[in-house]
Amino acid sequence: MPAPDQGQTVPEALTTVTDAARAACRPVGMFGGISGKLLWLTVVCIMLAEVLIFFPSVASMRLRWLDERLNAAAGAAIAIDGLQPADLPADLQKQTLEATGTKAIVLRKDGTSRLLATWDMPASVDAQYDLTSVPPVTAIRDALDTLVFGGDRMIRVYGPVRDTNIGVEVLMRDKYLRNAMLLYARNVFMLSIMIALFTATLVFFAINRILIRPIRRLTGSMQQFSADPENPQHVFVGEGGRDELAIAGRHLTAMQLQLQKTLKQQSNLAALGLAVSKINHDMRNILASAQLMSDRLVDVDDPMVKRFAPKLLRTIDRAVGYTTEVLSYGQASESAPRRRLVRVITLVEDVRDMLAIDPQSGVEFIEQIGADLEVDADNEQLFRVIHNLCRNALQALTSGNGGGSAGDTPRRITVSAHRIGSVVSITVDDTGPGMPQKARQNLFAAFRGSARSGGTGLGLAIARELVLAHGGTIALVEKPSIGTQFRIEIPDRPVSLEDYRGRSLSEK
């Protein structure tokens, strides 16, 4: 598959990859794909099985052929033996031997051997075979020997006549035996080819209907869906069944439906991002004007104004900073944290002031933090994390649709922190109704992990991203009582060897 060019945009690159995938996934015809390979594999397997059967079959055929010659020679020998004491004329001996296909016939009877007929007696014998009891391995070995080396050898064959105590021995050339074996082998080979093709054809059409056609439906659906994934008509409609392909089809349908849902969400997010960028651009200008006007409040002599002016200025500064970061959010992740030692109690007090909890709501905000506890973190990013968690807790406690604490439990938000070695643990705990099961299953997932109706779930998603940027962890803690508890753990940055040595020298 060709790689996209460096100068291509993302849509163009995706189009290039998709076109290459379609070209690679075009149908290859009935006999060019798995079905064609299966056809040839079946033929090869059947031929291999026939080869394994062929050698014992040829050996058995050879023994039957020799046994028939031996029985024919035994019949002639018994007839000739009945003519004793007269000798069989030479012409009649020749005719008898030609009829039995032998060169000599010997009759073994009552412990004696008698040469009954002979013609063109050979000077030597090349091989001899006893048909009394032939093991299978020996029969196969002799058959292969005849096929490979036979054709012009003189052989001696002997064995009993049926169930009698009479034995017959013949001398013959193995030419006719080898010709008969070759003819038999050719017939077996042709028959094997016919059986293999017939069986493979049946298997081919059966597998093509049971396996290949459903696979092609799956492949075709994938190609159509990849061409236009947002079209509901391109979703694969599976067939009922409990086999593997039916299960794969149902999984494909579920995956395509989920992907369409995700694509729709991404499209909505893109439209939302464009709208937010437009609004944010104007909002930044408004906040900049508010920042200029709020600077003048510092010169006002009113004690109340002097008390709230610094907090108002910090709040507007944070808002301006957030609007600046929103414009780049869709192009990159959160900026790297600018870490320094931050006093946790001061940060949490800013969060409390930012929440501006109404005294009439009955919600308590409690800080259980040492005055000298410091955390190595980005002040603004950690503020956003704790503020998001506390704001969610406040909304849960003041919600009018069944929210708040159960019974006489006080409404309370508790923020505690302590250091364990090089890690600072911060806990945000509330006595609200707790997080519903759906929100737990999609925890930290934007647009799916909201605990309240109409929420977006962005707060927890942003909090998690910021904590991970610090190399820390954030988790929902199971608690025996009602409410929700989150624990944040932020580790200190590792100290380099040069800084450690410089610090040690300065202390000395």
Side-chain angles (χ1 to χ4, degrees):
M1 182 179 297
D5 297 334
Q6 297 296 328
Q8 289 181 317
T9 62
V10 174
E12 292 174 347
L14 290 176
T15 303
T16 302
V17 174
T18 303
D19 293 341
R22 289 177 191 164
C25 296
R26 289 194 183 100
V28 292
M30 181 175 291
F31 295 99
I34 297 178
S35 54
K37 296 177 181 178
L38 184 63
L39 174 66
W40 292 113
L41 181 62
T42 304
V43 172
V44 171
C45 290
I46 293 178
M47 292 304 298
L48 289 176
E50 290 290 346
V51 168
L52 297 177
I53 299 173
F54 169 77
F55 295 113
S57 177
V58 169
S60 177
M61 174 266 169
R62 173 181 173 277
L63 292 178
R64 289 196 306 270
W65 194 90
L66 291 176
D67 190 62
E68 290 175 359
R69 292 295 181 272
L70 207 59
N71 289 334
I78 293 174
I80 295 173
D81 186 60
L83 297 177
Q84 293 182 18
D87 292 331
L88 194 67
D91 292 341
L92 191 55
Q93 288 185 28
K94 180 180 178 182
Q95 294 176 3
T96 303
L97 294 173
E98 289 178 350
T100 57
T102 59
K103 295 294 183 179
I105 299 176
V106 177
L107 182 65
R108 296 178 179 179
K109 183 178 179 183
D110 299 330
T112 61
S113 298
R114 180 186 175 195
L115 182 61
L116 299 180
T118 178
W119 182 263
D120 193 14
M121 190 69 174
S124 62
V125 176
D126 298 312
Q128 53 184 356
Y129 305 102
D130 184 3
L131 302 185
T132 303
S133 178
V134 184
V137 176
T138 304
I140 294 175
R141 182 196 64 192
D142 294 340
L144 291 176
D145 180 71
T146 302
L147 282 174
V148 178
F149 303 106
D152 194 25
R153 297 187 302 181
M154 183 62 65
I155 60 175
R156 173 172 169 259
V157 183
Y158 55 91
V161 179
R162 301 300 181 183
D163 296 330
T164 65
N165 58 356
I166 301 175
V168 178
E169 176 183 336
V170 297
L171 294 178
M172 57 184 297
R173 292 197 175 276
D174 63 353
K175 176 182 178 181
Y176 299 106
L177 171 61
R178 185 171 182 272
N179 290 340
M181 292 175 64
L182 290 174
L183 179 62
Y184 178 83
R186 185 196 67 181
N187 294 337
V188 169
F189 176 77
M190 297 301 297
L191 183 61
S192 299
I193 290 292
M194 294 176 61
I195 293 175
L197 291 176
F198 179 74
T199 306
T201 302
L202 293 180
V203 172
F204 169 78
F205 284 107
I207 298 299
N208 189 68
R209 181 175 181 82
I210 297 173
L211 183 64
I212 305 303
R213 287 176 59 184
I215 290 178
R216 285 177 177 165
R217 285 191 66 233
L218 288 172
T219 306
S221 174
M222 293 177 186
Q223 292 176 342
Q224 290 181 351
F225 188 83
S226 63
D228 187 9
E230 297 183 359
N231 190 345
Q233 296 181 352
H234 292 169
V235 175
F236 179 77
V237 180
E239 299 177 351
R242 301 177 60 183
D243 56 82
E244 290 80 358
L245 284 175
I247 295 174
R250 289 193 288 270
H251 281 293
L252 177 62
T253 302
M255 182 188 68
Q256 290 177 342
L257 291 175
Q258 182 62 35
L259 183 57
Q260 282 191 344
K261 183 179 178 181
T262 303
L263 289 174
K264 186 176 180 181
Q265 290 180 348
Q266 295 295 331
S267 178
N268 292 339
L269 285 177
L272 177 62
L274 179 60
V276 168
S277 298
K278 293 178 180 179
I279 296 173
N280 186 77
H281 181 271
D282 295 335
M283 184 67 70
R284 185 178 57 174
N285 295 332
I286 296 173
L287 288 173
S289 301
Q291 189 177 30
L292 292 175
M293 288 186 290
S294 62
D295 288 339
R296 301 178 182 178
L297 294 177
V298 179
D299 301 328
V300 178
D301 237 359
D302 192 322
M304 184 69 69
V305 173
K306 286 183 176 293
R307 177 185 173 188
F308 287 103
K311 296 180 180 179
L312 177 61
L313 288 174
R314 287 199 300 270
T315 302
I316 294 179
D317 288 341
R318 287 194 179 102
V320 172
Y322 294 164
T323 55
T324 302
E325 293 178 0
V326 165
L327 290 176
S328 61
Y329 182 78
Q331 300 175 358
S333 59
E334 293 283 348
S335 58
R338 296 180 288 273
R339 303 178 70 162
R340 60 184 179 84
L341 289 178
V342 178
R343 195 174 295 274
V344 181
I345 185 64
T346 305
L347 187 67
V348 174
E349 288 175 350
D350 288 346
V351 171
R352 180 196 59 195
D353 295 339
M354 191 74 170
L355 290 175
I357 301 176
D358 186 359
Q360 302 298 325
S361 65
V363 177
E364 300 179 69
F365 191 94
I366 301 175
E367 305 104 356
Q368 296 178 348
I369 305 168
D372 57 347
L373 179 62
E374 292 182 329
V375 60
D376 183 15
D378 185 304
N379 181 67
E380 293 300 325
Q381 292 188 359
L382 186 58
F383 175 88
R384 292 170 62 187
V385 173
I386 299 177
H387 180 262
N388 280 332
L389 296 178
C390 292
R391 184 183 57 190
N392 290 344
L394 180 61
Q395 290 173 347
L397 289 168
T398 58
S399 175
N401 51 355
S405 305
D408 298 330
T409 305
R411 300 183 176 186
R412 181 181 299 139
I413 300 174
T414 304
V415 181
S416 59
H418 61 278
R419 174 176 287 276
I420 305 175
S422 62
V423 177
V424 173
S425 177
I426 304 173
T427 302
V428 178
D429 190 8
D430 67 67
T431 57
M435 187 167 288
Q437 186 62 31
K438 181 180 179 181
R440 289 173 178 266
Q441 293 175 353
N442 300 285
L443 198 63
F444 306 119
F447 300 97
R448 289 188 296 170
S450 176
R452 61 186 176 87
S453 177
T456 62
L458 281 173
L460 289 178
I462 293 173
R464 178 177 180 271
E465 183 178 351
L466 294 175
V467 171
L468 291 179
H470 284 77
T473 59
I474 179 172
L476 177 66
V477 180
E478 296 293 339
K479 48 185 289 189
S481 58
I482 62 173
T484 304
Q485 183 180 119
F486 281 93
R487 178 180 295 126
I488 305 165
E489 293 183 346
I490 304 292
D492 294 341
R493 285 172 296 174
V495 179
S496 64
L497 184 59
E498 290 76 8
D499 293 342
Y500 176 77
R501 289 173 176 173
R503 186 182 306 171
S504 300
L505 292 176
S506 64
E507 291 176 355
K508 291 179 181 180

